[in-house]
Amino acid sequence: PEHEEDDGLAVQTGKPELQPPARYQVIMLNDDYTPMDFVVEVLEVFFMLNREKATQIMLRVHTEGRAVCGVYSRDIAETKAAQVNEYARECQHPLMCQIEREA
Ligand code: TYC
């Protein structure tokens, strides 16, 4: 027939073409200058964490150098990291977030 149904598999590889959207971790990095209270506030406001969870993550960043604040679609992760970095800069703190694609 002239028209075949799309079976959802790529021609070359035979693998499914529709992948679930990739997930991205927003990772907060330690520094020597940003006040702990400021980091906790950022985690509460931008990642919707309660005081207890925000404090746990802040302390993990402080002791281990970095920690995951949340996992999102690429757009949301990029936006959250940019918002944190912009807000920290406005407040003249070196606090930084970056994003990493999950394996
Ligand atoms: N290390 C900082 C201090 O001693 C606190 C801090 C925690 C900074 C977490 C950044 O992402 C961070 N004041």
Side-chain angles (χ1 to χ4, degrees):
E2 279 182 25
H3 178 74
E4 296 274 1
E5 290 292 327
D6 188 336
D7 64 3
L9 303 180
V11 175
Q12 297 294 331
T13 64
K15 288 195 297 190
E17 288 171 347
L18 284 177
Q19 299 290 349
R23 309 280 291 165
Y24 286 75
Q25 298 176 333
V26 179
I27 294 168
M28 184 168 277
L29 305 177
N30 190 36
D31 66 72
D32 291 340
Y33 304 105
T34 305
M36 291 184 176
D37 284 354
F38 182 85
V39 178
V40 171
E41 179 203 317
V42 163
L43 289 166
E44 288 174 336
V45 170
F46 292 97
F47 299 96
M48 312 267 279
L49 299 170
N50 63 31
R51 177 63 52 100
E52 184 184 346
K53 193 80 188 128
T55 302
Q56 279 178 9
I57 292 178
M58 182 279 292
L59 287 173
R60 191 174 312 146
V61 176
H62 180 69
T63 57
E64 297 179 19
R66 53 189 276 160
V68 176
C69 309
V71 182
Y72 308 93
S73 68
R74 182 174 170 175
D75 271 15
I76 302 291
E78 280 176 347
T79 300
K80 287 197 184 276
Q83 285 173 337
V84 169
N85 294 345
E86 182 185 347
Y87 179 62
R89 225 55 70 239
E90 277 171 21
C91 298
Q92 305 198 316
H93 296 306
L95 180 67
M96 278 279 297
C97 280
Q98 64 185 35
I99 70 170
E100 283 183 17
R101 193 189 216 269
E102 277 193 336

